[in-house]
Amino acid sequence: MTKVICFSLQKGGVAKTTTTAITAYLLAEMGHKVLAVDFDSQGNLTAILTQQNIYDFTGRTVLEAIKENNAEEYAVKVTDNLHVLPANDYLATISKYLYRDYTGVPVRALEKALEPIEDQYDYILIDTPPNLGDLTTNALAASDYVVIPYATDQWTFDALFPFMETVQYVEKNVNQSLKFVGILPRIIDSRVGETKDFLEALDTYFPNKRFETTIKSNAAARRLQMHGFFDNTEVNKAVKQYKPFLKELLERCQE
């Protein structure tokens, strides 16, 4: 049965796209069929996985998939096991479309577009924008699980509370099967004394929700946006930290 996992928080700079991309890559390398959905108009997931200009996909993106209620013709093959549903900045117009022209339930638009191809994949991973608008609520409505990538700083910590309110609202009113599986911390600078405080705060306010894995800032992972995953001599170094996280994630998604 297909598992749909959303990586989300309305805060930029927490490595949502990097985490989504590496998780998709590792799952595909394990032999799973994976669809990575770029649901952010910046198109960064599209760029990192395809290593193409996001405007190469104009007219062939997740926006068109939603307009047709079918993503079948828009999933781009990266490898045999890894496909991506691309995005570019035209996705920013989605709210206008949803409330003027869409004939279905606006918050379920992504879910409906994915339904025709869902059974083709073992995992569908959704990258989301840094806001709580229609893209994020659609991603939550379409997902079975949500993971929060978390940078150890005050603004990210503050963002957790309104985000969790949104998750709870979607779970109660739209998608009763949605499950919050955990928070993945990322330490930007281990020399900063407050890092320990922000990790402890997670355990206080969100007990048993922090993944045991903690990601440390990694130059090789940052360079994936330039070099991608393929023909990249640094790829193993870039993804190594995420392997124990993936093991934890799969275990939590089985519970």
Side-chain angles (χ1 to χ4, degrees):
M1 183 177 179
T2 307
K3 291 182 171 63
V4 184
I5 306 171
C6 171
F7 296 82
S8 193
L9 184 66
Q10 80 281 15
K11 173 75 175 61
V14 298
K16 289 188 296 292
T17 299
T18 300
T19 302
T20 308
I22 291 176
T23 303
Y25 170 80
L26 289 174
L27 284 169
E29 288 292 294
M30 291 168 63
H32 298 293
K33 295 287 187 180
V34 182
L35 175 66
V37 179
D38 193 344
F39 217 43
D40 182 351
S41 62
Q42 296 176 96
N44 292 336
L45 185 67
T46 302
I48 195 173
L49 289 178
T50 68
Q51 288 296 290
Q52 291 181 235
N53 188 301
I54 61 173
Y55 298 108
D56 291 348
F57 302 101
T58 298
R60 300 182 291 119
T61 70
V62 65
L63 179 62
E64 286 72 35
I66 285 174
K67 290 181 176 181
E68 293 192 15
N69 276 324
N70 191 338
E72 182 80 47
E73 300 299 321
Y74 300 99
V76 174
K77 178 181 175 181
V78 179
T79 68
D80 287 342
N81 285 342
L82 177 58
H83 297 173
V84 61
L85 190 54
N88 57 30
D89 54 9
Y90 292 106
L91 184 59
T93 67
I94 193 169
S95 293
K96 178 181 177 181
Y97 170 75
L98 290 177
Y99 295 106
R100 285 192 179 184
D101 303 311
Y102 187 66
T103 57
V105 179
V107 75
R108 294 193 178 277
L110 178 61
E111 178 187 9
K112 293 302 179 185
L114 293 175
E115 278 181 358
I117 63 169
E118 189 174 56
D119 291 342
Q120 298 177 27
Y121 300 97
D122 301 309
Y123 292 93
I124 297 176
L125 308 184
I126 307 174
D127 186 28
T128 58
N131 62 61
L132 291 176
D134 290 310
L135 293 171
T136 296
T137 53
N138 255 267
L140 293 171
S143 297
D144 302 309
Y145 307 98
V146 56
V147 174
I148 301 178
Y150 172 82
T152 50
D153 61 48
Q154 184 66 56
W155 289 345
T156 305
F157 181 72
D158 291 343
L160 289 173
F161 298 93
F163 181 75
M164 285 307 303
E165 289 178 2
T166 302
V167 171
Q168 290 162 5
Y169 176 85
V170 172
E171 181 183 2
K172 179 179 178 181
N173 296 284
V174 183
N175 178 8
Q176 286 74 36
S177 65
L178 179 64
K179 181 180 179 182
F180 166 46
V181 289
I183 300 171
L184 176 65
R186 182 174 67 98
I187 298 175
I188 298 173
D189 188 345
S190 59
R191 297 169 299 178
V192 176
E194 293 82 5
T195 293
K196 182 180 178 182
D197 296 334
F198 286 117
L199 291 175
E200 290 177 349
L202 280 184
D203 295 334
T204 298
Y205 288 93
F206 303 95
N208 304 314
K209 287 302 184 182
R210 175 159 66 104
F211 286 97
E212 292 183 14
T213 304
T214 297
I215 304 298
K216 295 181 180 179
S217 185
N218 181 317
R222 290 196 299 274
R223 285 192 287 267
L224 286 172
Q225 59 188 276
M226 295 182 289
H227 305 303
F229 291 89
F230 309 100
D231 299 319
N232 180 350
T233 58
E234 291 186 306
V235 68
N236 289 333
K237 185 177 180 181
V239 306
K240 182 179 180 180
Q241 290 189 85
Y242 287 85
K243 290 181 178 180
F245 157 68
L246 178 57
K247 182 176 184 293
E248 285 188 81
L249 176 62
L250 296 183
E251 289 171 353
R252 293 191 184 198
C253 289
Q254 295 294 340
E255 294 175 357

PDB file of all heavy atoms in Angstrom, residues 9-10 18 21 30 41 59 78 97 99 106 122 125 141 153 158 162 173 181 192 210 220 231 249 251:
ATOM      1  N   LEU A   9       6.855  22.584   7.235  1.00  0.00           N
ATOM      2  CA  LEU A   9       6.857  23.585   8.298  1.00  0.00           C
ATOM      3  C   LEU A   9       6.836  24.927   7.576  1.00  0.00           C
ATOM      4  O   LEU A   9       7.468  25.079   6.521  1.00  0.00           O
ATOM      5  CB  LEU A   9       8.101  23.482   9.191  1.00  0.00           C
ATOM      6  CG  LEU A   9       8.134  24.426  10.398  1.00  0.00           C
ATOM      7  CD1 LEU A   9       7.035  24.076  11.407  1.00  0.00           C
ATOM      8  CD2 LEU A   9       9.499  24.421  11.075  1.00  0.00           C
ATOM      9  N   GLN A  10       6.107  25.901   8.144  1.00  0.00           N
ATOM     10  CA  GLN A  10       5.957  27.177   7.451  1.00  0.00           C
ATOM     11  C   GLN A  10       7.147  28.102   7.668  1.00  0.00           C
ATOM     12  O   GLN A  10       7.033  29.315   7.590  1.00  0.00           O
ATOM     13  CB  GLN A  10       4.656  27.881   7.866  1.00  0.00           C
ATOM     14  CG  GLN A  10       4.682  28.636   9.192  1.00  0.00           C
ATOM     15  CD  GLN A  10       4.547  27.725  10.383  1.00  0.00           C
ATOM     16  OE1 GLN A  10       4.707  26.514  10.291  1.00  0.00           O
ATOM     17  NE2 GLN A  10       4.240  28.292  11.526  1.00  0.00           N
ATOM     18  N   THR A  18      15.892  19.544   0.990  1.00  0.00           N
ATOM     19  CA  THR A  18      17.026  18.622   1.065  1.00  0.00           C
ATOM     20  C   THR A  18      16.612  17.302   1.693  1.00  0.00           C
ATOM     21  O   THR A  18      16.962  16.219   1.204  1.00  0.00           O
ATOM     22  CB  THR A  18      18.175  19.252   1.868  1.00  0.00           C
ATOM     23  OG1 THR A  18      18.596  20.459   1.227  1.00  0.00           O
ATOM     24  CG2 THR A  18      19.354  18.295   1.971  1.00  0.00           C
ATOM     25  N   ALA A  21      14.384  15.367  -0.771  1.00  0.00           N
ATOM     26  CA  ALA A  21      15.168  14.843  -1.895  1.00  0.00           C
ATOM     27  C   ALA A  21      16.027  13.653  -1.476  1.00  0.00           C
ATOM     28  O   ALA A  21      16.065  12.625  -2.169  1.00  0.00           O
ATOM     29  CB  ALA A  21      16.039  15.955  -2.475  1.00  0.00           C
ATOM     30  N   MET A  30      16.970   1.823  -2.443  1.00  0.00           N
ATOM     31  CA  MET A  30      16.596   0.581  -1.746  1.00  0.00           C
ATOM     32  C   MET A  30      15.705  -0.303  -2.611  1.00  0.00           C
ATOM     33  O   MET A  30      15.391  -1.439  -2.229  1.00  0.00           O
ATOM     34  CB  MET A  30      15.863   0.912  -0.449  1.00  0.00           C
ATOM     35  CG  MET A  30      16.743   1.550   0.611  1.00  0.00           C
ATOM     36  SD  MET A  30      15.765   2.236   1.999  1.00  0.00           S
ATOM     37  CE  MET A  30      15.015   0.729   2.656  1.00  0.00           C
ATOM     38  N   SER A  41       6.424  26.584  -5.154  1.00  0.00           N
ATOM     39  CA  SER A  41       6.603  27.309  -6.418  1.00  0.00           C
ATOM     40  C   SER A  41       8.056  27.716  -6.666  1.00  0.00           C
ATOM     41  O   SER A  41       8.389  28.140  -7.781  1.00  0.00           O
ATOM     42  CB  SER A  41       5.703  28.546  -6.449  1.00  0.00           C
ATOM     43  OG  SER A  41       6.041  29.451  -5.420  1.00  0.00           O
ATOM     44  N   GLY A  59       4.285  24.186 -18.238  1.00  0.00           N
ATOM     45  CA  GLY A  59       3.161  23.524 -18.887  1.00  0.00           C
ATOM     46  C   GLY A  59       3.088  22.040 -18.616  1.00  0.00           C
ATOM     47  O   GLY A  59       2.147  21.371 -19.055  1.00  0.00           O
ATOM     48  N   VAL A  78      13.283  10.299 -13.297  1.00  0.00           N
ATOM     49  CA  VAL A  78      14.659  10.623 -12.940  1.00  0.00           C
ATOM     50  C   VAL A  78      15.505   9.357 -13.054  1.00  0.00           C
ATOM     51  O   VAL A  78      16.563   9.349 -13.673  1.00  0.00           O
ATOM     52  CB  VAL A  78      14.733  11.198 -11.506  1.00  0.00           C
ATOM     53  CG1 VAL A  78      16.182  11.503 -11.123  1.00  0.00           C
ATOM     54  CG2 VAL A  78      13.869  12.449 -11.378  1.00  0.00           C
ATOM     55  N   TYR A  97      -6.810  29.738  -9.036  1.00  0.00           N
ATOM     56  CA  TYR A  97      -7.477  28.660  -9.766  1.00  0.00           C
ATOM     57  C   TYR A  97      -8.428  27.881  -8.865  1.00  0.00           C
ATOM     58  O   TYR A  97      -9.572  27.598  -9.243  1.00  0.00           O
ATOM     59  CB  TYR A  97      -6.439  27.715 -10.372  1.00  0.00           C
ATOM     60  CG  TYR A  97      -7.070  26.462 -10.928  1.00  0.00           C
ATOM     61  CD1 TYR A  97      -7.778  26.497 -12.126  1.00  0.00           C
ATOM     62  CD2 TYR A  97      -6.999  25.261 -10.224  1.00  0.00           C
ATOM     63  CE1 TYR A  97      -8.395  25.353 -12.616  1.00  0.00           C
ATOM     64  CE2 TYR A  97      -7.611  24.120 -10.713  1.00  0.00           C
ATOM     65  CZ  TYR A  97      -8.313  24.164 -11.909  1.00  0.00           C
ATOM     66  OH  TYR A  97      -8.937  23.044 -12.386  1.00  0.00           O
ATOM     67  N   TYR A  99     -10.123  28.645  -6.233  1.00  0.00           N
ATOM     68  CA  TYR A  99     -11.341  29.308  -5.748  1.00  0.00           C
ATOM     69  C   TYR A  99     -12.161  29.973  -6.850  1.00  0.00           C
ATOM     70  O   TYR A  99     -13.265  30.434  -6.596  1.00  0.00           O
ATOM     71  CB  TYR A  99     -10.973  30.307  -4.652  1.00  0.00           C
ATOM     72  CG  TYR A  99     -10.409  29.594  -3.448  1.00  0.00           C
ATOM     73  CD1 TYR A  99      -9.042  29.637  -3.177  1.00  0.00           C
ATOM     74  CD2 TYR A  99     -11.215  28.816  -2.626  1.00  0.00           C
ATOM     75  CE1 TYR A  99      -8.511  28.946  -2.101  1.00  0.00           C
ATOM     76  CE2 TYR A  99     -10.680  28.124  -1.544  1.00  0.00           C
ATOM     77  CZ  TYR A  99      -9.331  28.190  -1.294  1.00  0.00           C
ATOM     78  OH  TYR A  99      -8.813  27.498  -0.241  1.00  0.00           O
ATOM     79  N   PRO A 106     -11.469  22.437  -2.847  1.00  0.00           N
ATOM     80  CA  PRO A 106     -10.129  23.014  -3.042  1.00  0.00           C
ATOM     81  C   PRO A 106      -9.020  22.362  -2.228  1.00  0.00           C
ATOM     82  O   PRO A 106      -7.923  22.146  -2.744  1.00  0.00           O
ATOM     83  CB  PRO A 106     -10.330  24.485  -2.646  1.00  0.00           C
ATOM     84  CG  PRO A 106     -11.751  24.768  -2.987  1.00  0.00           C
ATOM     85  CD  PRO A 106     -12.483  23.499  -2.645  1.00  0.00           C
ATOM     86  N   ASP A 122       5.461   3.001  -4.278  1.00  0.00           N
ATOM     87  CA  ASP A 122       5.489   2.545  -2.888  1.00  0.00           C
ATOM     88  C   ASP A 122       5.426   3.744  -1.936  1.00  0.00           C
ATOM     89  O   ASP A 122       4.806   3.666  -0.870  1.00  0.00           O
ATOM     90  CB  ASP A 122       6.767   1.749  -2.613  1.00  0.00           C
ATOM     91  CG  ASP A 122       6.897   0.532  -3.507  1.00  0.00           C
ATOM     92  OD1 ASP A 122       5.927  -0.252  -3.568  1.00  0.00           O
ATOM     93  OD2 ASP A 122       7.953   0.373  -4.157  1.00  0.00           O
ATOM     94  N   LEU A 125       6.427  11.297  -1.718  1.00  0.00           N
ATOM     95  CA  LEU A 125       6.963  12.281  -0.787  1.00  0.00           C
ATOM     96  C   LEU A 125       6.640  13.684  -1.296  1.00  0.00           C
ATOM     97  O   LEU A 125       6.859  13.977  -2.468  1.00  0.00           O
ATOM     98  CB  LEU A 125       8.482  12.128  -0.644  1.00  0.00           C
ATOM     99  CG  LEU A 125       9.016  10.725  -0.318  1.00  0.00           C
ATOM    100  CD1 LEU A 125      10.522  10.777  -0.122  1.00  0.00           C
ATOM    101  CD2 LEU A 125       8.338  10.143   0.906  1.00  0.00           C
ATOM    102  N   ALA A 141      -3.606  17.365   3.438  1.00  0.00           N
ATOM    103  CA  ALA A 141      -4.839  16.631   3.131  1.00  0.00           C
ATOM    104  C   ALA A 141      -4.562  15.388   2.300  1.00  0.00           C
ATOM    105  O   ALA A 141      -5.307  14.408   2.370  1.00  0.00           O
ATOM    106  CB  ALA A 141      -5.817  17.546   2.404  1.00  0.00           C
ATOM    107  N   ASP A 153      16.720  26.845  16.259  1.00  0.00           N
ATOM    108  CA  ASP A 153      16.761  28.280  16.537  1.00  0.00           C
ATOM    109  C   ASP A 153      15.385  28.746  17.016  1.00  0.00           C
ATOM    110  O   ASP A 153      14.399  28.011  16.925  1.00  0.00           O
ATOM    111  CB  ASP A 153      17.216  29.075  15.303  1.00  0.00           C
ATOM    112  CG  ASP A 153      16.303  28.926  14.102  1.00  0.00           C
ATOM    113  OD1 ASP A 153      15.067  29.053  14.259  1.00  0.00           O
ATOM    114  OD2 ASP A 153      16.801  28.680  12.993  1.00  0.00           O
ATOM    115  N   ASP A 158       9.357  28.703  17.366  1.00  0.00           N
ATOM    116  CA  ASP A 158       8.089  29.447  17.426  1.00  0.00           C
ATOM    117  C   ASP A 158       7.119  28.995  16.343  1.00  0.00           C
ATOM    118  O   ASP A 158       5.903  29.011  16.544  1.00  0.00           O
ATOM    119  CB  ASP A 158       8.346  30.950  17.283  1.00  0.00           C
ATOM    120  CG  ASP A 158       9.060  31.539  18.492  1.00  0.00           C
ATOM    121  OD1 ASP A 158       9.076  30.892  19.550  1.00  0.00           O
ATOM    122  OD2 ASP A 158       9.618  32.654  18.364  1.00  0.00           O
ATOM    123  N   PRO A 162       1.949  27.164  15.600  1.00  0.00           N
ATOM    124  CA  PRO A 162       0.891  27.364  14.608  1.00  0.00           C
ATOM    125  C   PRO A 162       0.847  26.265  13.555  1.00  0.00           C
ATOM    126  O   PRO A 162      -0.224  25.930  13.042  1.00  0.00           O
ATOM    127  CB  PRO A 162       1.224  28.725  13.982  1.00  0.00           C
ATOM    128  CG  PRO A 162       2.636  28.991  14.335  1.00  0.00           C
ATOM    129  CD  PRO A 162       2.891  28.295  15.632  1.00  0.00           C
ATOM    130  N   ASN A 173     -10.725  17.888  10.398  1.00  0.00           N
ATOM    131  CA  ASN A 173     -11.768  18.327   9.480  1.00  0.00           C
ATOM    132  C   ASN A 173     -11.644  17.810   8.045  1.00  0.00           C
ATOM    133  O   ASN A 173     -12.626  17.848   7.302  1.00  0.00           O
ATOM    134  CB  ASN A 173     -11.803  19.859   9.433  1.00  0.00           C
ATOM    135  CG  ASN A 173     -12.180  20.468  10.767  1.00  0.00           C
ATOM    136  OD1 ASN A 173     -13.341  20.460  11.156  1.00  0.00           O
ATOM    137  ND2 ASN A 173     -11.199  20.993  11.478  1.00  0.00           N
ATOM    138  N   VAL A 181       4.385  12.088  12.552  1.00  0.00           N
ATOM    139  CA  VAL A 181       5.310  11.031  12.976  1.00  0.00           C
ATOM    140  C   VAL A 181       6.561  11.547  13.658  1.00  0.00           C
ATOM    141  O   VAL A 181       7.238  10.770  14.341  1.00  0.00           O
ATOM    142  CB  VAL A 181       5.704  10.103  11.810  1.00  0.00           C
ATOM    143  CG1 VAL A 181       4.537   9.237  11.398  1.00  0.00           C
ATOM    144  CG2 VAL A 181       6.266  10.870  10.642  1.00  0.00           C
ATOM    145  N   VAL A 192      27.052  26.658  18.976  1.00  0.00           N
ATOM    146  CA  VAL A 192      26.097  27.587  19.570  1.00  0.00           C
ATOM    147  C   VAL A 192      25.480  26.954  20.809  1.00  0.00           C
ATOM    148  O   VAL A 192      24.886  25.868  20.746  1.00  0.00           O
ATOM    149  CB  VAL A 192      25.000  27.963  18.557  1.00  0.00           C
ATOM    150  CG1 VAL A 192      23.946  28.861  19.210  1.00  0.00           C
ATOM    151  CG2 VAL A 192      25.613  28.674  17.349  1.00  0.00           C
ATOM    152  N   ARG A 210      10.635  13.671  18.818  1.00  0.00           N
ATOM    153  CA  ARG A 210      11.918  13.970  18.180  1.00  0.00           C
ATOM    154  C   ARG A 210      12.558  12.677  17.699  1.00  0.00           C
ATOM    155  O   ARG A 210      12.669  11.709  18.454  1.00  0.00           O
ATOM    156  CB  ARG A 210      12.839  14.687  19.159  1.00  0.00           C
ATOM    157  CG  ARG A 210      14.252  14.920  18.615  1.00  0.00           C
ATOM    158  CD  ARG A 210      14.970  16.031  19.330  1.00  0.00           C
ATOM    159  NE  ARG A 210      15.265  15.760  20.723  1.00  0.00           N
ATOM    160  CZ  ARG A 210      16.475  15.427  21.185  1.00  0.00           C
ATOM    161  NH1 ARG A 210      17.491  15.263  20.349  1.00  0.00           N
ATOM    162  NH2 ARG A 210      16.658  15.247  22.471  1.00  0.00           N
ATOM    163  N   ALA A 220      28.673  18.727   1.900  1.00  0.00           N
ATOM    164  CA  ALA A 220      28.362  17.855   0.759  1.00  0.00           C
ATOM    165  C   ALA A 220      26.868  17.846   0.480  1.00  0.00           C
ATOM    166  O   ALA A 220      26.443  17.840  -0.679  1.00  0.00           O
ATOM    167  CB  ALA A 220      28.868  16.440   1.026  1.00  0.00           C
ATOM    168  N   ASP A 231      26.324  10.967 -10.724  1.00  0.00           N
ATOM    169  CA  ASP A 231      27.649  11.421 -11.169  1.00  0.00           C
ATOM    170  C   ASP A 231      28.205  12.453 -10.192  1.00  0.00           C
ATOM    171  O   ASP A 231      28.855  13.426 -10.589  1.00  0.00           O
ATOM    172  CB  ASP A 231      27.584  12.008 -12.592  1.00  0.00           C
ATOM    173  CG  ASP A 231      27.112  10.993 -13.611  1.00  0.00           C
ATOM    174  OD1 ASP A 231      27.535   9.827 -13.523  1.00  0.00           O
ATOM    175  OD2 ASP A 231      26.300  11.361 -14.479  1.00  0.00           O
ATOM    176  N   LEU A 249      12.158   6.547  10.323  1.00  0.00           N
ATOM    177  CA  LEU A 249      10.933   6.974   9.658  1.00  0.00           C
ATOM    178  C   LEU A 249      10.108   5.772   9.213  1.00  0.00           C
ATOM    179  O   LEU A 249       8.885   5.726   9.434  1.00  0.00           O
ATOM    180  CB  LEU A 249      11.268   7.870   8.460  1.00  0.00           C
ATOM    181  CG  LEU A 249      10.081   8.322   7.596  1.00  0.00           C
ATOM    182  CD1 LEU A 249       9.101   9.165   8.403  1.00  0.00           C
ATOM    183  CD2 LEU A 249      10.576   9.092   6.375  1.00  0.00           C
ATOM    184  N   GLU A 251      10.152   2.787  10.386  1.00  0.00           N
ATOM    185  CA  GLU A 251       9.611   2.110  11.567  1.00  0.00           C
ATOM    186  C   GLU A 251       8.386   2.840  12.102  1.00  0.00           C
ATOM    187  O   GLU A 251       7.374   2.224  12.463  1.00  0.00           O
ATOM    188  CB  GLU A 251      10.692   2.020  12.649  1.00  0.00           C
ATOM    189  CG  GLU A 251      11.812   1.040  12.314  1.00  0.00           C
ATOM    190  CD  GLU A 251      12.973   1.113  13.285  1.00  0.00           C
ATOM    191  OE1 GLU A 251      12.963   2.023  14.156  1.00  0.00           O
ATOM    192  OE2 GLU A 251      13.891   0.284  13.189  1.00  0.00           O
TER     193      GLU A 251
END
